[in-house]
Amino acid sequence: MPLARSLSVTSLSGLEEWDEEFDLEDAVLFEIAWEVANKVGGIYTVIQTKARLTSEEWGENYFLVGPYVESNVRTQVELIEPTNPALRRTIDKMNSSGCKVYFGRWLIEGSPYVVLIDIAFTAWSLDSWKSELWELCSIGVPWFDREANDAVLFGFLTAWLLGEVTQCEQPAHIVAHFHEWLAGLGLVLCRQRQLPVATIFTTHATLLGRYLCAGNVDFYNNLAEFNVDKEAGDRQIYHRYCIERAAAHCAHVFTTVSQITAIEAEHLLKRKPDIVTPNGLNVKKFSAMHEFQNLHAQSKSRIQEFVRGHFYGHLDFNLDKCLFLFIAGRYEFSNKGADIFLEALARLNYLLRVNHSDVTVIAFFIMPARTNNFNVETLKGQAVRKQLWDTAQTVKERFGKKLYESLLVGQLPDVSKMLDKEDFTIMKRAIFATQRQCQPPICTHNMLEDSSDPILNCVRRIGLFNSSADRVKIIFHPEFLSSTSPLLPMDYEEFVRGCHLGVFPSYYEPWGYTPAECTVMGIPSISTNLSGFGCFMEEHIADPTAYGIYILDRRCRGVDESCNQLTSFLFQFCKQSRRQRIIQRNRTERLSDLLDWKYLGRYYIAARHMALAKAFPDTFIYEPQDTTAGFRYPRPASVPPSPALSRHSSPHHSEAEDNEDDERYDEDLEAEKDKVNIRQPYTLPMKNKSTHRKTNQDCWIFVEY
């Protein structure tokens, strides 16, 4: 019988709809970022997934501003004539003055308007603009830093664009939201030129923080001690740091994506953020209504097929009792926690062996590195698997034909005669083809820097070489996943759905989209209290572990203690029964509402209201509200599905349970139990319905749900 599932919005949301709308008839929002229609990193995901919600709020008055990249425009943008009269005049004037500015619709959900600026076309102005930047702000940009040069061009052109828009006869109230230091110079110039624009600056990760953590510095224990100017100068990023710090200080409202990054920004950028704006996801994209458990089974079977080929000749473990773990992201060995994950896997391997566990763990490392091609041995494994499958199909067809002919004449088949010598010969040749003299490879590709690769060197140190005696196997896939790959033909979403646990023990992770994506797909994950996602979940969930969100303590523990805790998490997960994992996945998926832009978008709304009130105090008013308490999901009615903590209300592990695949699990009933103790969200800023303007009769008020 299929597993039942209740929808996220009806199971554990507890999040009231914020139906009040802000009167935006005379307000315009410009959102400026280098990653508008230009995928570089995580900011692209933030803007792309948030676009639908923001377009619904602002309608025709929402414009994204980014760089013109021809290859991206051809596939992502529909170029059209500007619909806004003021913007049409602005673009025409800039184009007639030696610029190239394009207008169109970004072909994503929400179809927002985009203004794309060709910075290469105005590169002739770079020297004069850099001189002006030095005279105005005393920031010198070296000639060899191409990224900083692009930031200068983009910043001056953005300020030019906003300046022209404000020169209209009846200018609207403009909100300009700038993301990261690459767009930050435009904000600085807007304030220096005293443009009537409400400005917001969001840092998704501080420049200096990323550089310091990459250098194996004891970052969080020394935040207050860093000489920021010296540290930035030593790393030759002082000019970038100055742009970022100037943008943070000049903005009417300064925001970061998490509480941990807020602390970092306060010490490194010397300004405390006004509000934290967590990153969300378009949960509708990931929610497979009533099907996510089935999708997990389908994707898992595809991963199992890859494993059969990869471990041919050494497939001496039960794939039905095999757990798939993974870590994915940029190849930052220490920052992303790959070092502590590998060490924990070595300790887990020891625990599984001494406890004679029949569980096998396969850990995937999906981190792009420099390679020149697929590993021949890996490709051979998939070819051998396919050959075995073809052989089995051939023998099956011959067997089936003989069975059919026997039944046609009304006789029971003589089983001893169903397979002849030729069939046995074919099968023996297939078995001999699976013989292997070497161990299954660790890496699926040929690495260009094999001897110095951090993951491979760590594997050599801990001695996990995929031997038959090891209960933990490692597969390093140094390339992003693709459905067109001849090796593992799956895209990232399919792969995540097929895994059992995502492991992200990051040391430096301002937010963390990878565990968030796991959550909305119903896959448990391990994060840390030094990541934005981990801190957010600790704040909003009374008992994160009960919902499949394991928070590793890397803030108050040493490396060895954290590694032991991670090993404990992994070992306890390995001891869960199949039914316990099903219950946990259902609980994990219920948290998807918490990460939806429909909920998290209100933080951005509050930031824009705050900016308008600061820039136009005679028109708008905003009363600050304490949002630190947050909304907290209660502990489930039944205790966490952990063998170590099981009680009568939680499923017990038994040998029979693992085989009862058809056992009915009433997810609706489970969800109703968990809803009983839900607390209401924290107080949210609301306005009365009359108007958004400040008058003697009305003002912004705050309503408790």
Side-chain angles (χ1 to χ4, degrees), residues 80-98:
I80 60 175
E81 288 296 318
T83 55
N84 185 292
L87 197 56
R88 185 188 305 114
R89 287 192 296 269
T90 296
I91 291 176
D92 291 342
K93 185 174 181 180
M94 291 182 68
N95 286 338
S96 63
S97 301

Side-chain angles (χ1 to χ4, degrees), residues 91 96 113 125 144-145 172 180 211 215 232 263 277 329 341 391 410 473 503 512 529 539 577 625 652 664 688:
I91 291 176
S96 63
Y113 290 124
S125 301
F144 55 81
D145 191 342
E180 281 297 297
Y211 273 83
I263 297 171
T277 52
F341 184 30
T391 299
K473 321 287 186 180
V503 184
N529 57 4
E539 178 186 344
S577 69
Q625 181 75 8
H652 292 275
R664 171 79 176 178
N688 60 20

